Amino acid sequence: LILSSNENPLGPPPAVRDAVRLALADGKASGRYMFHRTGSMAEAIAKRYGVRADQVFVGCGSTQILRAATQLFTSPTRPLVGSIPTYEECAGYAALIGSPVTGVKLDAALRLDLDATLSAAKGAGLVFYCNPNNPTATVHSGRATNDFLDALRRTSPDTAVLVDEAYQDYVSDANRSTQVPRAIEDPNVIVARTFSKAYGMAGLRLGFAIAHADTIRRIQMWEGFGDIPWGLPALEAGLAAVQLDDSFVARERARNTGAREFTRAFFASQQRTATDSATNFLFIDVQRPIEQFQRACASRGVRVGRPFSPLLTHARISIGTLEEMQRATAVFAGALAAVRLAA
């Protein structure tokens, strides 16, 4: 049972799977480059999110967007600022190209520390703002995020912000905090989204950025106007996914929430505390070095997430179906008992 990579256990919805099958059924079409359809995916995403097609860049998952933003906005004199821990992609790219990386500790609730980030961001090239944050699963409200961005404009007006909203579809309505409306107006704000999570398309590699048209042009010039980082199956899958109505995401959010809260209750019964999750995973203090817990789970057939320094007693556990989590919690009970005995 794989609970280590924050994937959707159901995979793509039926309409998406049908679109992929249909695309591959035409052998001639799948043997051709898709240059003539480069704009169709951006147009479909733009319609879905109420923006213009020139405010959308389609990438290979959200990975391509994170890499491009890091390369465009950081330099040896313009550091990347990000939380510790957060998703490591941007920090890894920054280090690779010689841009300094400034890490900011999380607050006491394991959320992004906005005041400390604001202070560290003065003169920075790019702030990586993962909301909800991976791996801690915590989220800041739209109001808190807007206040942070307003303050950053005053203190460091040339600093760009990459808002990673990979898990935004799992956030409850009360705390929904997408920055898409701001991004299309502010050239220094980029929103990264992905079809890998709620839409179950991790293996198809399709994501997108929404930003000001001038910022999208910069990304296109860097990445190449003619390049298509995704193939025909991903194209057809994405076109089918964006045509699904809001009820699909609502059902997926409800399914995930039920399985997640069942799992949280189990850990509470074991006196293990999880952060306030707004995602399809939990971040739990198992009170032992995470490698011990990982090994104990793996020996019982369940894979959980890797260590995230410096929170080395915390396990990131992806949420499967309710049935899978019922099986998994029995394994977790045995693993917790095993690490207690080992200790």
Side-chain angles (χ1 to χ4, degrees):
L1 183 57
I2 300 174
L3 302 177
S4 56
S5 300
N6 302 345
E7 299 143 334
N8 185 327
L10 302 180
V16 171
R17 297 198 298 270
D18 290 344
V20 172
R21 291 190 193 99
L22 188 61
L24 293 176
D26 185 346
K28 291 183 178 180
S30 58
R32 302 286 184 183
Y33 293 116
M34 292 289 106
F35 296 122
H36 62 293
R37 299 187 64 184
T38 300
S40 60
M41 190 69 244
E43 290 168 1
I45 292 169
K47 183 178 179 180
R48 176 70 177 81
Y49 286 88
V51 302
R52 301 195 313 263
D54 64 353
Q55 296 166 330
V56 176
F57 176 84
V58 184
C60 182
S62 57
T63 296
Q64 186 179 14
I65 287 97
L66 272 59
R67 181 191 67 197
T70 304
Q71 292 172 319
L72 279 169
F73 293 102
T74 72
S75 72
T77 60
R78 302 275 288 171
L80 172 81
V81 173
S83 297
I84 301 175
T86 193
Y87 188 52
E88 307 99 325
E89 198 92 41
C90 287
Y93 288 132
L96 187 65
I97 63 175
S99 297
V101 177
T102 302
V104 179
K105 292 181 179 180
L106 301 172
D107 67 16
L110 300 188
R111 300 184 306 169
L112 309 183
D113 189 327
L114 301 188
D115 290 338
T117 301
L118 184 65
S119 178
K122 293 178 182 178
L126 180 68
V127 172
F128 179 60
Y129 189 95
C130 191
N131 194 46
N133 188 40
N134 179 13
T136 61
T138 51
V139 67
H140 278 292
S141 68
R143 179 174 181 177
T145 301
N146 274 313
D147 288 347
F148 168 78
L149 293 173
D150 288 342
L152 183 62
R153 286 297 144 262
R154 294 191 296 270
T155 59
S156 190
D158 295 328
T159 298
V161 181
L162 175 58
V163 184
D164 185 344
E165 295 186 354
Y167 300 96
Q168 189 63 218
D169 289 325
Y170 287 113
V171 179
S172 66
D173 291 342
N175 291 312
R176 193 67 52 79
S177 55
T178 182
Q179 292 301 309
V180 165
R182 183 165 190 143
I184 61 175
E185 301 292 339
D186 187 339
N188 283 336
V189 176
I190 304 164
V191 170
R193 300 292 292 260
T194 182
F195 288 96
S196 296
K197 304 306 176 185
Y199 288 90
M201 293 164 52
L204 286 162
R205 309 310 304 133
L206 191 68
F208 58 96
I210 296 180
H212 190 281
D214 292 344
T215 305
I216 293 298
R217 276 192 290 272
R218 288 186 65 183
I219 297 173
Q220 289 172 329
M221 290 178 69
W222 180 268
E223 292 294 317
F225 281 99
D227 291 344
I228 301 177
W230 29 268
L232 179 64
L235 169 66
E236 296 298 343
L239 291 173
V242 296
Q243 293 179 46
L244 296 170
D245 61 28
D246 291 342
S247 66
F248 165 74
V249 171
R251 288 193 303 272
E252 168 57 17
R253 186 185 308 122
R255 179 207 64 78
N256 174 78
T257 299
R260 185 185 67 205
E261 295 313 304
F262 167 83
T263 311
R264 184 201 301 276
F266 161 77
F267 279 104
S269 75
Q270 301 290 310
Q271 291 76 53
R272 301 297 192 274
T273 302
T275 59
D276 187 10
S277 174
T279 65
N280 65 339
F281 57 92
L282 288 171
F283 198 59
I284 303 141
D285 187 356
V286 297
Q287 302 172 15
R288 292 289 184 272
I290 184 57
E291 291 89 351
Q292 294 178 11
F293 183 69
Q294 276 186 304
R295 288 194 296 269
C297 290
S299 69
R300 293 162 171 80
V302 175
R303 190 184 306 170
V304 299
R306 64 190 184 276
F308 292 89
S309 181
L311 302 174
L312 296 178
T313 65
H314 284 69
R316 191 190 70 181
I317 297 175
S318 305
I319 301 302
T321 65
L322 180 58
E323 180 184 14
E324 287 173 337
M325 301 319 293
Q326 288 168 342
R327 290 163 45 203
T329 51
V331 168
F332 298 152
L336 290 171
V339 295
R340 275 195 297 267
L341 287 172

